[in-house]
């Protein structure tokens, strides 16, 4: 089985960081978290846990509180809500995608491996909504980065690279960039495959 077959396909609006994405892994044990993502901007986290064969998978929401302009991540400050459960995880994925894509944008479904934070996402399933030149997508993990722009004359321009040091900030200093490589795509399926492969194994 290809490693991508283990990943949930997501329509993530910007601001979400995927922590865990491995729902299709076997064998799976009771009380195992198979997916989690956090959005520190809106103070929410969603995770899917496999409880047991009888209950199946459970989709949970965690509401995070704020104090002194920062998120309070202590356990006693979190509010947990169970959204739904089902022995068929595909039923939960429909609910999950509505939660992480609350504006119901026609975003490209992407299989995103753990650790990647989506800082910008306007990558739609069609290119008819774009301006002549538009910045569409930006994501980072540690010191790895990927950005995608739309240019009418040459379609999708993908830039990948890394920073000299790992950076937890959402901001990138251009002087820190190195090993930048640029690709262009006209085919959406080929673009999608490239992005997913890069998420799994960054290259430059």
């Amino acid at each position: 089985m290809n490693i991508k077959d283990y990943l949930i396909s997501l329509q993530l609006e910007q601001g979400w960081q995927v922590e865990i994405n491995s729902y299709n892994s076997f064998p799976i044990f009771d009380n195992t978290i198979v997916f989690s993502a956090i959005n520190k901007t809106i103070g929410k986290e969603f995770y899917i846990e496999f409880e047991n064969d009888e209950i199946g998978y459970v989709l949970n929401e965690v509401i995070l509180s704020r104090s002194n302009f920062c998120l309070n991540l202590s356990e006693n400050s979190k509010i947990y809500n169970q959204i739904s459960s089902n022995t068929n995880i595909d039923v939960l994925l429909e609910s999950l995608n509505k939660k992480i894509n609350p504006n119901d944008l026609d975003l490209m479904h992407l299989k995103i491996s753990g650790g990647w934070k989506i800082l910008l996402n306007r990558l739609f399933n069609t290119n008819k909504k774009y301006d002549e030149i538009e910045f569409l997508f930006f994501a980072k993990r540690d010191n790895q980065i990927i950005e995608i722009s739309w240019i009418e004359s040459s379609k999708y321009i993908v830039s990948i690279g890394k920073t000299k040091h790992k950076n937890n900030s959402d901001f990138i200093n251009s002087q820190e960039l190195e090993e930048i490589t640029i690709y262009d795509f006209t085919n959406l399926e080929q673009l999608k495959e490239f992005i997913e492969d890069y998420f799994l194994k960054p290259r430059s």
Side-chain angles (χ1 to χ4, degrees):
M1 181 180 288
N2 188 298
I3 191 169
K4 283 196 290 187
D5 295 333
Y6 290 91
L7 305 179
I8 293 172
S9 184
L10 305 165
Q11 287 181 295
L12 279 171
E13 288 192 23
Q14 61 199 42
W16 289 97
Q17 178 167 326
V18 176
E19 304 282 300
I20 300 171
N21 190 1
S22 60
Y23 88 99
N24 229 355
S25 55
F26 294 99
I28 187 168
F29 302 102
D30 291 355
N31 304 118
T32 298
I33 295 176
V34 297
F35 173 84
S36 70
I38 186 171
N39 188 320
K40 293 181 179 180
T41 302
I42 62 173
K44 285 191 177 183
E45 178 183 358
F46 292 99
Y47 69 93
I48 296 175
E49 181 177 7
F50 178 78
E51 290 207 359
N52 53 51
D53 290 333
E54 182 178 352
I55 296 175
Y57 298 89
V58 179
L59 174 60
N60 295 285
E61 174 190 54
V62 183
I63 301 175
L64 308 173
S65 64
R66 298 187 70 87
S67 176
N68 297 325
F69 302 99
C70 298
L71 282 179
N72 187 345
L73 299 177
S74 63
E75 279 300 316
N76 59 7
S77 69
K78 297 179 180 179
I79 299 174
Y80 287 81
N81 297 316
Q82 181 176 311
I83 297 173
S84 57
S85 64
N86 202 292
T87 54
N88 182 356
I89 193 173
D90 291 332
V91 176
L92 298 188
L93 297 185
E94 184 176 349
S95 298
L96 173 64
N97 269 316
K98 289 180 180 178
K99 295 292 184 181
I100 60 179
N101 181 18
N103 293 307
D104 196 27
L105 301 175
D106 185 28
L107 298 171
M108 180 184 290
H109 285 81
L110 290 171
K111 294 185 174 183
I112 304 171
S113 52
W116 283 97
K117 183 174 184 180
I118 311 303
L119 298 170
L120 172 71
N121 191 5
R122 289 183 50 78
L123 192 58
F124 298 118
N125 283 315
T126 174
N127 57 33
K128 296 180 180 179
K129 301 179 181 179
Y130 301 141
D131 294 330
E132 185 175 349
I133 298 176
E134 189 166 344
F135 185 26
L136 303 181
F137 186 88
F138 183 63
K140 67 186 293 289
R141 182 180 70 182
D142 296 330
N143 66 332
Q144 303 287 343
I145 54 176
I146 176 172
E147 73 169 39
I148 302 170
S149 298
W150 166 265
I151 299 178
E152 188 70 40
S153 60
S154 53
K155 307 307 180 186
Y156 299 95
I157 306 299
V158 181
S159 301
I160 62 172
K162 60 178 65 176
T163 56
K164 296 176 184 177
H165 307 95
K166 290 185 178 180
N167 181 4
N168 293 324
S169 170
D170 293 345
F171 301 98
I172 304 296
N173 184 341
S174 60
Q175 295 180 342
E176 281 280 297
L177 295 174
E178 60 183 9
E179 300 182 32
I180 299 173
T181 309
I182 298 175
Y183 303 84
D184 62 89
F185 293 88
T186 57
N187 182 281
L188 269 175
E189 283 303 313
Q190 292 177 351
L191 173 65
K192 176 180 178 179
E193 183 177 2
F194 178 89
I195 297 169
E196 292 179 340
D197 288 345
Y198 182 74
F199 281 150
L200 286 169
K201 190 177 180 180
R203 60 194 178 194
S204 55

